[in-house]
């Protein structure tokens, strides 16, 4: 099967930052932008310059320091927003993402404008950005998942006729199933002219952002908008690490791949967490504190013999380490393994006594790394040897 490369548009610094408690300074954004670029993403979104002087400054800094990826600014369908974006970042290597109002619900309840006005403002602002010399223009179809086919098609055709290079299909409220979103992407792909890219933009409200993004890619999307750690509005955005991991392991099955440096993602995520003071979740895929940790005896017995028994995703591939954690569910296999490492032989009765002292009577509800248990056992064995 011929494989197709998936482009990645990172929106950590814009959609990710606008969620509660995720605020970043311009210089923090610059540092993170350079880290994200180094991963191999194609596009880094800097923010919404017309919304604040801080986002304008972040755009100025990032636009002057990226060396490979292009940068994107977020704009409403207003000429003044585009002026702010261009004033901050210039036109070289600049993608302006123009927000389209793409559902009747948003037209009526949010904007109070007609469909005709919504189509016209996209045509007008795309053409305006093109005349200013902006080389890359995307139309972001906000709430596309609840828009009618006739409205969406009119906006796609108006935007691309005016010079847009990319159409972004946003499941803004995270309301779609994978089947629904894949069908929507297929329609947009059929309406967009050849040479115009289609990108996914999925949210996590039903926990389906990874699955929906994958469905969109399989339906013909050229790229995906993601954030590190899945940060973003409400429950978050599609997580870069989950999709990159999925394509890394299922590339042959899916016929899709990325060029992302998988081993460097966790370091970039850790830097992001430090900036926004994000506590590390315990159970999140790829980046969770215990994503590669085990405390259950049955699992540990398998992992100690061969990690492949319970690890399909390899921690080292993502800059992580495997952790064997000692808790009340840990079994005797951990003790046998450590004693064998120390070349100490004990009978079953002594093993049971060690198991009670070091695991069942100590662990309670807490976990400790296997290295701690190794140290205690070593001390005990030395003491026993010293006393004869």
């Amino acid at each position: 099967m011929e494989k197709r490369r998936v482009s990645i548009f990172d929106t950590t610094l814009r959609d990710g930052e606008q969620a509660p408690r995720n605020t970043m300074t311009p210089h923090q954004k610059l540092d993170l932008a350079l880290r994200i670029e180094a991963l191999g993403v194609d596009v880094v979104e800097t923010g919404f310059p017309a919304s604040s002087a801080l986002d304008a400054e972040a755009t100025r800094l990032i636009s002057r320091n990226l060396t490979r990826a292009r940068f994107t600014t977020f704009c409403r369908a207003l000429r003044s927003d585009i002026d702010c974006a261009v004033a901050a970042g210039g036109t070289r290597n600049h993608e302006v993402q123009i927000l389209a109002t793409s559902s009747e619900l948003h037209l009526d309840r949010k904007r109070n404008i007609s469909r005709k006005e919504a189509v016209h403002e996209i045509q007008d602002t795309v053409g305006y950005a093109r005349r200013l010399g902006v080389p890359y223009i995307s139309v972001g179809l906000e709430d596309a998942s609840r828009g009618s086919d006739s409205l969406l098609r009119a906006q796609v055709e108006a935007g691309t006729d005016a010079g847009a290079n990319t159409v972004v299909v946003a499941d803004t409220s995270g309301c779609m199933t994978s089947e629904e979103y894949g069908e929507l992407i297929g329609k947009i792909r059929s309406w967009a002219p050849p040479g115009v890219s289609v990108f996914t933009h999925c949210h996590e409200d039903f926990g389906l952002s990874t699955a929906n993004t994958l469905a969109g890619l399989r339906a013909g999307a050229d790229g995906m908008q993601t954030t590190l750690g899945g940060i973003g509005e409400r429950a978050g955005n599609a997580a870069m690490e989950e999709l990159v991991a999925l394509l890394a392991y299922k590339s042959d099955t899916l016929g899709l791949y990325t060029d992302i440096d998988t081993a460097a993602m966790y370091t970039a995520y850790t830097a992001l967490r430090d900036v926004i003071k994000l506590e590390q979740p315990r159970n999140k895929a790829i980046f969770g504190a215990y994503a590669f940790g085990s405390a259950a005896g049955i699992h540990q017995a398998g992992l100690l013999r061969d990690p492949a028994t319970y690890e399909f995703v390899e921690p080292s591939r993502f800059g992580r380490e495997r952790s064997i954690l000692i808790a009340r569910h840990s079994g005797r296999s951990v003790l046998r393994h450590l004693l064998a490492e120390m070349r100490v032989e004990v009978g079953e009765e002594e093993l049971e006594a060690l198991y009670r002292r070091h695991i069942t009577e100590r662990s309670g509800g807490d976990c400790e790394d296997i290295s701690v248990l190794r140290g205690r056992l070593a001390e005990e064995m030395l003491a026993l040897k010293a006393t004869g």
Side-chain angles (χ1 to χ4, degrees):
M1 178 190 295
E2 185 178 351
K3 295 182 184 179
R4 176 165 58 89
R5 181 181 178 278
V6 173
S7 297
I8 295 187
F9 176 119
D10 180 83
T11 184
T12 302
L13 308 181
R14 198 277 300 172
D15 208 343
E17 194 220 14
Q18 70 187 33
R21 300 177 65 185
N22 287 356
T23 304
M24 310 169 203
T25 69
H27 281 90
Q28 287 171 334
K29 280 194 173 189
L30 173 61
D31 176 68
L32 290 168
L34 295 176
R35 291 174 184 272
I36 291 166
E37 179 189 43
L39 298 178
V41 306
D42 300 271
V43 186
V44 177
E45 191 169 25
T46 65
F48 182 3
S51 70
S52 74
L54 292 176
D55 270 16
E57 175 63 7
T59 297
R60 188 188 70 79
L61 290 171
I62 294 169
S63 66
R64 286 156 176 74
N65 285 280
L66 293 181
T67 58
R68 185 195 52 78
R70 72 173 175 261
F71 73 96
T72 296
T73 53
F74 183 82
C75 298
R76 293 165 297 183
L78 295 170
R79 292 189 180 194
S80 57
D81 277 19
I82 296 167
D83 288 336
C84 286
V86 171
T91 57
R92 188 184 67 83
N93 202 36
H94 188 170
E95 175 179 325
V96 167
Q97 182 169 216
I98 299 173
L99 189 67
T101 304
S102 299
S103 73
E104 284 74 9
L105 176 64
H106 279 211
L107 288 178
D108 296 341
R109 302 294 179 85
K110 176 185 164 185
R111 298 284 312 282
N112 193 27
I113 62 172
S114 69
R115 168 183 155 157
K116 183 177 180 180
E117 289 172 310
V119 172
H120 172 74
E121 67 183 12
I122 291 302
Q123 190 172 33
D124 176 68
T125 49
V126 169
Y128 181 69
R130 179 64 68 196
R131 291 192 297 275
L132 290 178
V134 177
Y136 306 102
I137 304 167
S138 57
V139 174
L141 302 174
E142 186 182 25
D143 205 33
S145 45
R146 294 188 289 184
S148 67
D149 284 2
S150 60
L151 173 60
L152 294 172
R153 183 166 188 170
Q155 291 184 329
V156 169
E157 291 177 348
T160 55
D161 286 349
N165 318 88
T166 300
V167 176
V168 181
V169 186
D171 182 15
T172 304
S173 61
C175 67
M176 281 194 146
T177 65
S178 299
E179 183 179 15
E180 291 169 331
Y181 190 69
E183 183 180 347
L184 175 60
I185 289 289
K187 290 177 186 176
I188 302 291
R189 177 71 277 171
S190 71
W191 300 332
V196 170
S197 297
V198 174
F199 271 64
T200 64
H201 181 102
C202 297
H203 280 264
E204 182 70 352
D205 298 76
F206 279 140
L208 292 174
S209 61
T210 294
N212 288 359
T213 301
L214 178 61
L217 294 173
R218 299 189 80 175
D222 303 282
M224 53 190 180
Q225 294 198 350
T226 65
T227 63
L228 277 173
I231 67 168
E233 289 280 6
R234 302 180 312 280
N237 289 47
M240 182 196 299
E241 68 279 3
E242 293 179 16
L243 286 151
V244 167
L246 183 60
L247 297 190
Y249 280 90
K250 297 292 184 179
S251 179
D252 291 337
T253 302
L254 299 171
L256 303 169
Y257 73 96
T258 74
D259 295 326
I260 296 298
D261 180 356
T262 58
M265 285 196 298
Y266 187 65
T267 300
Y269 172 64
T270 301
L272 171 67
R273 284 183 46 240
D274 288 343
V275 167
I276 63 175
K277 305 297 186 289
L278 177 67
E279 184 178 347
Q280 186 174 17
R282 290 205 295 260
N283 64 334
K284 197 175 191 306
I286 312 301
F287 285 168
Y290 301 130
F292 301 103
S294 176
I298 292 173
H299 287 218
Q300 290 174 347
L303 288 166
L304 290 169
R305 291 185 178 93
D306 182 350
T309 54
Y310 285 98
E311 280 179 1
F312 183 75
V313 179
E314 303 149 294
S316 60
R317 193 167 182 177
F318 298 92
R320 304 297 308 278
E321 293 182 359
R322 178 181 309 112
S323 56
I324 301 293
L325 300 160
I326 308 306
R328 69 183 182 87
H329 295 296
S330 299
R332 294 159 184 80
S333 59
V334 171
L335 285 172
R336 292 192 182 98
H337 173 79
L338 293 176
L339 291 168
E341 279 187 342
M342 290 183 276
R343 298 181 181 177
V344 173
E345 293 185 11
V346 299
E348 285 302 311
E349 204 171 294
E350 190 174 355
L351 182 71
E352 286 301 313
L354 289 170
Y355 182 66
R356 286 194 303 274
R357 283 200 303 277
H358 292 282
I359 296 181
T360 59
E361 293 175 3
R362 294 183 65 100
S363 58
D366 296 328
C367 291
E368 63 182 13
D369 191 81
I370 191 173
S371 62
V372 178
L373 175 58
R374 183 185 288 112
R376 283 207 313 272
L377 282 174
E379 287 177 6
E380 184 168 336
M381 294 305 111
L382 282 172
L384 287 173
K385 187 175 180 181
T387 58

